[in-house]
Amino acid sequence: MNKVSFISLILGFASLTIGCKSGISSQKITVSPASEKLLESRYKMLLDYPVDSLSMPRSMNIKTNEIHKVPSRDWTSGFFAGNLWQLYKLKGNSQYKEQAQKWTVFSKKESVNKNSHDVGFKVYCSFGEALKVEKNKDYEAVIIKGAATLCTRFNEKVGSIRSWDFNKEIWDFPVIIDNMMNLELLFEASKLSGNPKYRDIAIKHANTTLKNQFRDDNSCYHVIDYDPKTGNVRKKTTLQGYNDDSVWARGQGWAVYGFTMCYRYTQDPVYLKQAEATAKFFMNNKNLPEDGIPYWDFKDPSIPNAPRDVSAAMVMASGLYELYSYTKNNSYLAFADKLMTSVQTDKYILSADIKAPFLLDHSTGNWPKHDEIDEPIIYADYYFLEALLRKK
């Protein structure tokens, strides 16, 4: 063997070894011209959707062609305005911005709604996205007010923000993994106002979640119920997973995204460590389908006949792009690219003949309640568009 051949062999072996350690090699997002054209046609349908404060699109029953429309109090109400803002950033078409402005104002009243822990989703996914496009004191005021409202649900003894107020006969102080996503509102409010209170509460909530919400394998429980008087954990359970010990796919996405976001604001390595650990659990799960789009719960006994959840995949993709930016671990970038390649096909993009303000199909909302199963759901589109922006 000559010297050149020997060096080539060594380099090839090194490359193979690195690829095996990362679990997946780097790749680019590949989208066919037909899929790109289909997506463009779907983007325009968002512009055509009639403006109505009581008809924010949440999901759609493909069989009946019925769009599930909600008012601002619904936790998903901020996503449609957010989608329009993100499309404006992606496409540069001022029509998206004009429509986004019209829809955004409908979420303003939620900045004073103390009956919901989802102030972050409702206010930050609308007004937060607006503020990324244009500096506006009114937008800032709504975000700060929303943060102050969210803080009223914080319990110092527990060290967390209370999630739901319903089912009081079942739990005393429920905290769900989804709540990690609402912390971005608090961090931003402290930046905008100079008041450290919001940031401090966000950190306390993240630390309590870090302590109690994760299993030894780094998957997370959906719900932790606390005793509000002592702060002790009463039980670890679920509402949207298959059972208490199952692994609800979207919950894992909320965890990776949420703790990566917390690292962005704090630079605390413990948050990055947890985000990486849960990301690896998700990426390497034996029940993950070949295309990376997870079943709605990793432990549903009906796998491989269980419904998928594109929304979980899109939350994970967006979170992984940010996680890669801090770690430079190529496996996160490659896996996010794989997810984005998978969904940008006619298998997951809604067909052009479906006239509705949605982009992607095959998400699962709440399987135990048989609600929004294998349908287009608005937040899948939101995190898909955010992932496109983060990739760029």
Side-chain angles (χ1 to χ4, degrees), residues 9-48:
L9 179 63
I10 294 299
L11 290 175
F13 178 76
S15 175
L16 177 62
T17 303
I18 292 170
C20 290
K21 286 182 177 179
S22 68
I24 185 171
S25 59
S26 181
Q27 65 182 76
K28 293 182 179 180
I29 298 175
T30 54
V31 185
S32 70
S35 292
E36 287 185 347
K37 184 177 180 181
L38 179 56
L39 264 177
E40 288 293 332
S41 70
R42 298 229 57 87
Y43 291 158
K44 292 174 182 176
M45 291 186 196
L46 275 67
L47 290 176
D48 297 335

Side-chain angles (χ1 to χ4, degrees), residues 208-357:
T208 301
T209 302
L210 191 67
K211 178 182 177 182
N212 298 317
Q213 208 100 15
F214 291 91
R215 303 183 180 94
D216 290 341
D217 63 3
N218 290 302
S219 67
C220 65
Y221 290 94
H222 181 206
V223 188
I224 305 295
D225 186 36
Y226 295 90
D227 183 331
K229 295 179 180 178
T230 66
N232 295 331
V233 173
R234 292 185 65 248
K235 56 185 173 182
K236 301 184 176 185
T237 182
T238 193
L239 184 75
Q240 289 178 256
Y242 186 82
N243 58 37
D244 292 347
D245 295 319
S246 69
V247 182
W248 179 48
R250 192 161 67 251
Q252 314 314 301
W254 294 143
V256 172
Y257 188 115
F259 278 99
T260 303
M261 174 266 293
C262 285
Y263 177 78
R264 182 203 316 157
Y265 288 102
T266 66
Q267 300 298 296
D268 189 332
V270 299
Y271 299 149
L272 202 63
K273 181 180 179 182
Q274 187 60 65
E276 289 198 83
T278 304
K280 289 171 183 175
F281 171 89
F282 187 105
M283 292 161 54
N284 299 322
N285 196 282
K286 63 182 178 66
N287 284 336
L288 189 71
E290 183 64 28
D291 65 0
I293 309 302
Y295 300 105
W296 76 279
D297 191 300
F298 283 107
K299 291 189 176 181
D300 184 334
S302 68
I303 289 173
N305 299 315
R308 303 286 192 96
D309 187 7
V310 165
S311 74
M314 294 300 91
V315 173
M316 183 62 71
S318 186
L320 287 175
Y321 281 134
E322 182 170 20
L323 187 58
Y324 167 76
S325 74
Y326 304 130
T327 64
K328 302 307 177 186
N329 184 327
N330 192 61
S331 66
Y332 304 145
L333 176 62
F335 192 82
D337 285 349
K338 177 180 180 177
L339 294 176
M340 296 300 284
T341 295
S342 294
V343 297
Q344 292 184 80
T345 61
D346 59 8
K347 179 179 179 179
Y348 292 104
I349 303 172
L350 281 170
S351 64
D353 62 334
I354 296 175
K355 306 303 180 184

